[in-house]
Each structure stands twice: as structure tokens, then as C-alpha cells.
Amino acid sequence: MSPMRPELVGHFGMAASTHWLASATAMSVLERGGNAFDAAAAAGFVLQVVEPHMNGPAGEVPVLAWDAVQGRPHVVCGQGVAPAAASTERFGELGLELVPGTGLLAATVPGSFGAWTLLLERWGTLSLAQVLDYAIGYCLRGFPALPAIVDTIGQVAGLFTEYWPTSAAAWLPGGSVPAAGGLLTNPALGRTYQRIVEVAGRVGGGRERQLAAARDIWYRGWVAEEIDRFCAGTQWLDTSGRAHGGLLTGADLAGWQPTVEPPSTFGYGRYEVLKTGLWGQGPVFGQQLGLLAELGLDRADYGSADYLHAIIESAKLAFADREAWYGDSAPPDTLPQLLDRGYVTARRGLVGVEASMQLRPGRLGDREPRLARVPAPADVDALARSLVAGSGEPTTASGARADGVVAGDTCHLDVVDRYGNMVSATPSGGWLQSSPMIPELGFALGTRAQMFWLEDDLPNSLRPGARPRTTLSPSLALRDGEPWLAFGTPGGDQQDQWSLHFFLALVHGGLSPQAAIEAPAMHSEHFPSSFYPRGSRPGHLVLEQRFPEPLRDELARRGHLVDVTGPWSLGRLSAVASEPGRLLGAANPRGSQGYATGR
């Protein structure tokens, strides 16, 4: 079958993302002389505006960056931490067993602004004014009301009207859901960014000092003060069914800063994949690669039942380890033990000819795995029936329709420039439906704390100052030691399944990036969700309808509980690649809004 989208080939630069305006912004920055870091930041700020149901200014973003000058990769961590007042005891006093999926209680320090400005300060070349000009323009002049945005607003319109009036004022003009195809604006956010640019611009000393000044405004100035006032002075209905204020304070913002860290690295033949540390789920990608290498995936026919069964069962084991061992409180030796050859070999022995129905984390040395209490299926059903609209992460797994239209999700972007710099980033959080709009700032706070467990002594237990174990998982890959590929997708727990399937299609299937993106997608829902209400569906395998029926039947015969979804409904991958003498760009036709651009 011929591809639905062309694979782009050029020499100057490539950008790909989940929205064409972000891709066009990144390319515009490259054309005006900026590098990949400038382009990624500008596109990231634009995504906050044009995909407000998928990310926002008070969300978070992990960034994987390849610095061509130093020849080194970096992780810029834009994942904010839990407030000082957030503890299992505090939530227990409130009578809560789970962190709510919406509202102010689930807010962590908003890390996105810090990460993007630090990326610019360290490796960019343009000023903050130049970079933010695109986002400000869309805020003030308008951006397209995509059907997915309108659908999301329609789903939460009742909540907004009755309980969140500041959000109703922003997203229900004239008291009605906006029409798809028109223009939406966010003048309050535009004014916020204009004011930051103006005040930071008065600081002398060059662009780096102005970027640092902008971060001070956000985390220690009037932006932080407004967030503090809103959390302390208002209460709002959340998924608990009760109204709560927030625990986040100005002091929490002032005490946080983005960090630059080395990536976790995972070898697979001639390839090396780079991910975040155990504060994110990214290492499950590497664990799956280790298991698949032990299983001899290269001996299975690409796309066969044996091939898919090995991938599915490896995912179950890797994500079981995620549940037991991943989190910001994990001991430093955890990942090396998970990647130890003896451990991987022992885990490989758990992959049988039939589908597993158990969640089986491994034992690390003398440490026994401990899993958090997950609501029983009946409890999950009851919670789902009582949910306030807008809870959790709106992923394509739950929001995709049979016709492939995406109801909501996270964002992703990839950029490579002519110098060899490369960026992969997955912005998320602070959705318009996550918590009430702060009217003076033009954005809502995020709800990433819902990913913590309210049990003590787990790697991902809620504690003050900890990062929640995020699902956001951008990727870089080297080939023969050289930077080759930046890629990723929205999708919560599915990110490191869809992106792995894409990577393996390149490596084992010999597909081009565009063909690999368009190949039929799948994922397991065997393990607990990272989002409220934290349910799981043991043994369930979701397949796009384009998988041949005999293949689906064979997987079912092996014990997989096969759920067939729309033919173009899973994942929104994008990718850019650097190959000898050329650059490549590829984007996803699913949802009809992701595009690549370049020359």
C-alpha cells in the first residue's frame, strides 16, 4: 500500500510534530537562522496554544537533545515536583486513596517553561522574544478550532458551566461550545507571554541573562504569585466528587529549577536508544529491547504471530517492572540491576507460547518487588461512572473513534538541523480540561501528581519534592555510534509500546520512517494505568483493524484477549532522521493534524 503521507527528504532541516502549525513554526525558525533547539522551543510554545486540550503552559516536558558541537546527548528535565505540603498523610486526612485526576490537588510545579527556556539558554541562538513571537501571535490573532478541541470542550462544557466558571469564560464563548473550523483565541495567555518578554527584555547582559530573568518571573515573580493566590484562595470540584483548593505554593515554584541530566542508554545490535531515567517510563523501552534480543526477535518473520507475541509478552514483563521499581525514589542501582544480563535472561524464561495473565515484576538481588494496591475492576468501574469529565490523560487509547478521529492526547515534536543538532520532546499536562483556568494568566495547572501512589515506601510514592513517574517518553537513537533518529508519540502508557513497534519496524522490517509510522499499531493494556482511576485490563491486546484477521485469530488462539479498534486509531508518531547525505522527516496521518516539513 502506498503511504498516505510522503516521506520528506532534504539537507537543510526537518521538523515533525502532532500539529502542522508547530511543524511550520519550527521550520520558520530554521529558515531565519535558528538551530534545532530554537526551533523546538518555538514549536513547543506554539503547541501549548494550538493544542490546548493536549498540553498547556503549566504542564511538563522531557526533552532529549543531541548537541552536535559537543557530540553529546542530554536530557532536559521539565518535570516539576510535588508541593512541600503534598504527602500521603495529607491526602489521607482528606479521605482520599488516589490523587484526583482533575483539579488543584494534583498540581505539581509547572516545569515546561523552565525546560524550554533552559534549552534556549544552553544551546539556542535566538532571543526569547523571537521564540515566543509565534505563540503570542496565535494567542492574539487566533488558531484553528480543530474538531478534537471542540469535542473536548463539548465533553466538559457542563463541568465548566456549573463548577469551573473561569474555564467556561475562556472556552465557551457566549455560553456555547465553539464551532469546529472557526478560530479560537487566548488573549490572557498572549498578554502573559508579552509581559514576560517585555520585563525580561529590560534586563541587560544578552539573551542568556534575559532567559534566566524570564524564568525568575515565572518561578519567583508575578506568575508564581498568581498561581499561589489561585491555589490558596479558590476551591474547585475534582474527581473525588468534592471541592478542594491546591497545595502548590509560590515557595514550591521558587525552590524548583529544570535540570540537565545524562540519558539512560540501551544497546540493540548496531543501535543505541537514549531515554530518560527511572523518573520516567522511558527505560521500559530498553528493557523490552533486552528481552527481545534474548528471545531472538531477528529470527521471527516481521509482522508474524511469533514476532508480535514476543513483543507483547516482553512489554508485559517490562511494564510490570515499571510498576514495582520505577520512580523518583528508586535507589541508584535499580536500572543497572534491571539491565543485568542474568536478570534479563531469567525474565526471558517467563515468556511462554501462551499469553500471560499475571503481572510479574522481577526480584532485584535481595529485594522483593512490591506493587501498589490497584483498585479492583469493580472499583474501577464505579470510579469511572463517578468521574468528573476531563480526568486522567485523554489518550487515543480511550478517545479514538472507529473513524480514526483523535479525541485528545499529549503532544510530540522532533527537529533536526543542518548542523546535526537533534531534539525529541513530548510536552503534556496543563490541559484545558485538567483544572480550572487561572484567568489572569490564561492557563490551567497540571494534574501530573495523579501518577503518584498514596502508599509509603514505594519508588513512586507521593512525597514532597519528588517527581511523579511520568509516561512522557521522547526518544533519540544512534546508529553505529552516530546520531540517527529522533522520534516519539503521545499516548500515556502506550508511548513506549507504539514507539517501540515503530523502531522495530525500521530495524527488523526494513521499513522507511514514514512507512513504519503508517504500519498497523497495537498495544497491551495488561498493566495498571498511570492515570486516575489506575485500572488495568489483564491480557487485553488492542489491535488496529488493518492487522489481517487470520493474524488476529492466531493471537487470540494463543490466549490474548484481542480488542479490535479503528483502522487508523492508535498513536500519533512523528520522527526525523539524519542519514549520510540527507535528512528525513515523517509524520502521522492518524488524526489528520500531524505533519512533517523540511527541505
Side-chain angles (χ1 to χ4, degrees), residues 395-409 488-491 494-495 497-499 501-502 516-525 537 540-547 563-574 588-591:
T395 67
T396 55
S398 60
R401 302 204 303 245
D403 59 4
V405 174
V406 177
D409 209 330
T489 178
Q494 287 76 44
Q495 288 182 31
Q497 298 187 72
W498 294 333
S499 60
H501 200 51
F502 162 78
I517 283 174
E518 296 186 15
M522 67 174 188
H523 67 263
S524 170
E525 296 185 348
R537 304 175 70 225
H540 278 265
L541 171 65
V542 182
L543 296 172
E544 285 187 334
Q545 191 178 11
R546 290 180 294 135
F547 281 101
D563 298 325
V564 179
T565 188
W568 295 91
S569 58
L570 300 181
R572 293 199 300 142
L573 280 149
S574 66
N588 208 312
R590 298 168 178 88

Side-chain angles (χ1 to χ4, degrees), residues 166-248:
T166 60
S167 296
W171 299 111
L172 297 172
S176 301
V177 176
L183 288 180
L184 297 172
T185 60
N186 190 344
L189 177 58
R191 289 191 296 268
T192 294
Y193 280 149
Q194 283 180 323
R195 185 177 172 189
I196 291 173
V197 167
E198 179 183 356
V199 175
R202 299 186 196 130
V203 177
R207 57 178 295 279
E208 291 85 359
R209 187 171 176 183
Q210 290 179 8
L211 285 160
R215 269 199 312 282
D216 279 340
I217 294 168
W218 189 276
Y219 294 100
R220 286 163 283 279
W222 56 267
V223 174
E225 291 169 0
E226 192 57 46
I227 292 173
D228 183 298
R229 184 204 65 77
F230 192 78
C231 287
T234 62
Q235 292 191 336
W236 309 87
L237 180 71
D238 58 37
T239 51
S240 71
R242 290 178 281 143
H244 294 104
L247 302 176
L248 189 64

Side-chain angles (χ1 to χ4, degrees), residues 61 75-81 109-119 121-122 212 215-216 218-220 250-261 279 465 467:
V61 59
V75 173
V76 181
C77 175
Q79 176 55 65
V81 299
V109 173
S112 184
F113 189 85
W116 288 128
T117 54
L118 183 62
L119 183 77
E121 182 183 333
R122 293 279 187 93
R215 269 199 312 282
D216 279 340
W218 189 276
Y219 294 100
R220 286 163 283 279
D252 294 317
L253 273 75
W256 181 84
Q257 58 184 359
T259 55
V260 176
E261 308 171 4
W279 53 268
R467 292 175 289 192

Side-chain angles (χ1 to χ4, degrees), residues 16-18 62 64 273-275 285 409-415 423-427 471-477 485-492 494-503 506 513 517 570-577 586-588 590 594:
S17 80
T18 51
L64 270 290
V273 177
L274 312 179
K275 305 291 284 188
F285 193 110
D409 209 330
T410 295
C411 304
H412 186 79
L413 65 93
D414 303 293
V415 185
V423 177
S424 179
T426 310
T471 56
L472 306 176
S473 195
S475 306
L476 292 181
L485 188 69
F487 63 104
T489 178
Q494 287 76 44
Q495 288 182 31
D496 285 295
Q497 298 187 72
W498 294 333
S499 60
L500 178 78
H501 200 51
F502 162 78
F503 177 80
L506 300 177
I517 283 174
L570 300 181
R572 293 199 300 142
L573 280 149
S574 66
V576 297
N588 208 312
R590 298 168 178 88

